[in-house]
């Protein structure tokens, strides 16, 4: 019998009525003869509420206790869904993460799954029951409750699908798939039938928030076909898998963007070995993640150095850089937190030259000034002024004809 793992996010189980709708969908899948393991998130807003409570009683909440608290949200929805299934005459049983022994490391609030014991789930499936499992939670070797990071239910679902060797992992959410770009920015954005793990990983890390990044990594590593689809409408959604012959042969699959960017520049620092380390070392030591980096060719034995950080870290990074500048005898520190990053993503880039110049040409035609560029094998990112974000996304969408389905190869 085919085995599927379904995952329903917070909005899909946000009310008891919606939980009923989820149960209806599961009953239908059962009637098609499918075996099902269902992972659910907490009701939408619940986890945020719990986080807020924690901060009301402790300035920096203890991570172990935070996990005890946060894991309660999912315990509510698994029980309610199992009840809703039973009420429809469908045998079902719920389990917390520790009951099925989703063993994780001890990194509280961002734990990683290390092992899953499938025996109990398999026994329940064999007995003809739908198995409902709490997303987002695990247990350490020594028995402490952990959580897997915000949005972690996606990862639970993929991990269960890998462990149980499920045929597919279906992520039901409030959008009906993965789009060529955010439809709120470009209404002509098109739902993709398929996308590769690699592309999805880039899209997710570049700001497309459909799936938790870790779940995509996990699915790629264990080759679990992953499908994103709407829990409110019928439809086949978007399949995320390895590249296969006959897949859409697009040059570019999507355009991602990130509004949370800021850039900093240190001007006129001595151009000598070790300078990058001197500049970025203190930034890293403050736990600030650096994304793009540019060092200019030096003139007069000095050079300029620019890098980007998350906008939330801008002020902190600026302070650090100013002190580094004094230390190194640099000329000046400048910064800009009104910038965004726009990226085109596609495995098709590997085998085609000229994608970058096509991108730059399209932006130039609209007089959009490119402030920084970075490339990888399947992605090209540019930094532009915030005010050009929408225009840049639409221009590139048009230039690469993303509104039209590419011909199958
Ligand atoms: N309830 C958790 C969160 O809000 C996990 C999840 O929804 O995936 O982050
Ligand atoms: Mg979620």
């Amino acid at each position: 019998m085919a085995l599927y793992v379904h995952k329903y996010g917070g909005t899909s189980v946000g009310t008891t009525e919606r939980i009923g709708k989820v149960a209806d969908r599961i009953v239908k899948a059962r009637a098609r003869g499918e075996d099902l393991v269902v992972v659910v998130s907490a009701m939408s807003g619940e986890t945020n509420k719990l986080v807020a409570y924690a901060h009301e009683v402790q300035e920096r909440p203890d991570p172990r206790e935070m996990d005890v608290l946060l894991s309660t949200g999912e315990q509510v929805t698994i029980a309610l869904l199992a009840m809703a299934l039973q009420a429809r005459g469908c045998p079902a049983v719920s389990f917390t993460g520790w009951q099925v022994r989703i063993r994780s490391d001890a990194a509280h609030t961002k734990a990683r799954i290390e092992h899953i014991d499938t025996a109990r789930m398999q026994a329940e499936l064999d007995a003809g029951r739908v198995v409902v499992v709490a997303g987002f939670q695990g247990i350490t070797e020594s028995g402490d409750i952990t959580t897997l990071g915000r949005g972690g239910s996606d990862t639970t679902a993929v991990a269960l699908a890998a462990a149980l060797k499920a045929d597919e992992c279906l992520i039901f959410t409030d959008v009906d798939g993965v789009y060529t770009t955010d439809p709120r920015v470009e209404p002509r954005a098109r739902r993709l039938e398929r996308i590769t793990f690699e592309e999805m990983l880039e899209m997710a890390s570049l700001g497309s928030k459909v799936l938790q990044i870790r779940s995509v990594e996990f699915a790629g590593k264990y080759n679990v076909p992953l499908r994103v689809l709407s829990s409110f409408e019928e439809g086949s959604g978007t399949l995320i898998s390895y590249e296969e012959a006959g897949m859409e042969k697009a040059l570019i699959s999507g355009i991602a963007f990130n509004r949370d960017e800021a850039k900093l520049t240190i001007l006129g620092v001595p151009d000598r070995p070790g300078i990058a380390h001197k500049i970025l070392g203190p930034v890293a030591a403050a736990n600030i993640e650096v994304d793009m980096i540019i060092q200019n060719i030096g003139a007069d034995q000095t050079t300029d150095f620019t890098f980007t950080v998350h906008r939330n870290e801008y002020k902190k990074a600026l302070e650090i850089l100013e002190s580094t500048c004094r230390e190194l005898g640099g000329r000046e520190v400048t910064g800009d937190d009104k910038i965004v990053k726009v990226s085109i993503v596609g495995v098709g880039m590997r085998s085609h030259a000229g994608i970058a110049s096509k991108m730059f040409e399209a932006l130039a035609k609209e007089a959009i000034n490119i402030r920084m560029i970075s490339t990888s094998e399947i992605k090209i990112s540019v930094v532009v002024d915030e005010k050009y974000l929408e225009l840049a996304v639409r221009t590139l969408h048009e230039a690469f004809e993303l509104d039209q389905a590419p011909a199958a190869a």
Side-chain angles (χ1 to χ4, degrees):
M1 218 147 112
L3 170 65
Y4 292 97
V5 173
H6 285 196
K7 182 260 171 177
Y8 294 90
T11 7
S12 311
V13 295
T15 61
T16 49
E17 196 204 324
R18 285 185 174 180
I19 289 175
K21 292 257 160 62
V22 168
D24 290 338
R25 190 184 275 275
I26 293 167
V27 167
K28 264 196 224 152
R30 287 282 299 167
R32 289 195 296 267
E34 297 172 6
D35 269 343
L36 292 169
V37 171
V38 182
V39 174
V40 286
S41 292
M43 288 177 160
S44 54
E46 279 307 305
T47 311
N48 287 344
K49 201 166 89 189
L50 295 169
V51 170
Y53 283 156
H55 286 279
E56 282 170 24
V57 295
Q58 192 173 25
E59 202 188 338
R60 293 222 317 278
D62 178 71
R64 182 191 180 279
E65 302 312 322
M66 194 64 152
D67 281 349
V68 174
L69 178 67
L70 295 193
S71 61
T72 60
E74 273 72 10
Q75 191 163 339
V76 172
T77 45
I78 51 167
L80 290 174
L81 180 57
M83 289 175 194
L85 286 165
Q86 289 171 9
R88 285 161 178 76
C90 175
V93 57
S94 74
F95 293 112
T96 60
W98 37 100
Q99 284 177 302
V100 284
R101 298 213 60 82
I102 297 180
R103 250 226 311 104
S104 77
D105 62 19
H108 286 288
T109 75
K110 47 178 184 300
R112 282 182 178 266
I113 296 175
E114 287 177 339
H115 182 260
I116 295 177
D117 196 347
T118 54
R120 182 70 195 271
M121 283 184 287
Q122 199 56 63
E124 297 292 345
L125 289 170
D126 293 345
R129 281 185 273 272
V130 171
V131 176
V132 183
V133 181
F136 179 53
Q137 44 184 250
I139 189 157
T140 65
E141 183 99 72
S142 53
D144 288 315
I145 295 174
T146 56
T147 62
L148 309 177
R150 298 304 305 271
S153 300
D154 293 342
T155 299
T156 304
V158 173
L160 289 180
L164 290 159
K165 301 190 172 55
D167 293 84
E168 205 172 278
C169 179
L170 294 86
I171 309 279
F172 290 92
T173 177
D174 44 9
V175 293
D176 66 349
V178 179
Y179 276 69
T180 49
T181 195
D182 188 338
R184 283 166 300 191
V185 170
E186 169 53 277
R188 287 188 298 169
R190 185 175 54 85
R191 180 176 57 81
L192 295 160
E193 287 297 326
R194 300 183 71 152
I195 186 170
T196 66
F197 289 123
E198 277 174 293
E199 289 169 324
M200 191 61 216
L201 212 49
E202 290 285 7
M203 297 286 277
S205 49
L206 291 166
S208 156
K209 295 196 176 57
V210 190
L211 286 172
Q212 198 200 32
I213 295 175
R214 206 184 273 179
S215 72
V216 184
E217 280 168 4
F218 215 105
K221 186 164 165 201
Y222 294 97
N223 196 8
V224 177
L226 196 58
R227 193 181 289 278
V228 175
L229 61 183
S230 164
S231 62
F232 305 112
E233 297 158 31
E234 293 300 321
S236 56
T238 301
L239 178 66
I240 307 157
S241 66
Y242 277 109
E243 207 175 350
E244 274 169 29
M247 261 176 95
E248 293 179 357
K249 280 285 186 270
L251 291 180
I252 299 302
S253 293
I255 299 169
F257 55 84
N258 204 327
R259 299 178 197 267
D260 308 319
E261 304 274 329
K263 77 182 183 48
L264 300 106
T265 301
I266 182 164
L267 295 153
V269 286
D271 189 12
R272 57 170 187 250
I275 201 71
H277 175 63
K278 282 235 166 60
I279 294 169
L280 294 177
V283 178
N287 250 322
I288 299 175
E289 220 177 291
V290 169
D291 180 21
M292 289 191 201
I293 303 170
I294 293 181
Q295 186 184 337
N296 282 350
I297 293 180
D300 325 317
Q301 273 92 57
T302 71
T303 186
D304 308 333
F305 198 94
T306 302
F307 58 92
T308 62
V309 297
H310 192 283
R311 216 175 267 189
N312 289 344
E313 314 268 37
Y314 176 63
K315 291 236 158 66
K316 205 160 105 193
L318 202 56
E319 273 168 33
I320 293 171
L321 203 57
E322 267 155 5
S323 116
T324 307
C325 187
R326 281 190 296 273
E327 243 166 69
L328 297 175
R331 195 167 74 240
E332 192 190 352
V333 171
T334 62
D336 188 350
D337 64 349
K338 298 271 179 302
I339 55 150
V340 293
K341 182 166 74 175
V342 178
S343 313
I344 58 176
V345 175
V347 290
M349 254 182 240
R350 273 197 195 117
S351 47
H352 285 83
I355 304 283
S357 69
K358 184 168 179 175
M359 179 186 197
F360 304 152
E361 185 192 10
L363 295 173
K365 271 195 190 140
E366 296 296 333
I368 299 170
N369 194 22
I370 300 171
R371 315 275 298 266
M372 294 172 86
I373 299 168
S374 87
T375 64
S376 79
E377 214 192 351
I378 65 161
K379 154 198 99 181
I380 304 168
S381 301
V382 296
V383 165
V384 299
D385 288 347
E386 186 178 73
K387 63 177 186 228
Y388 292 130
L389 174 79
E390 280 79 11
L391 181 60
V393 170
R394 288 189 205 126
T395 300
L396 294 171
H397 203 269
E398 168 108 51
F400 289 99
E401 297 174 358
L402 289 181
D403 57 327
Q404 292 155 41

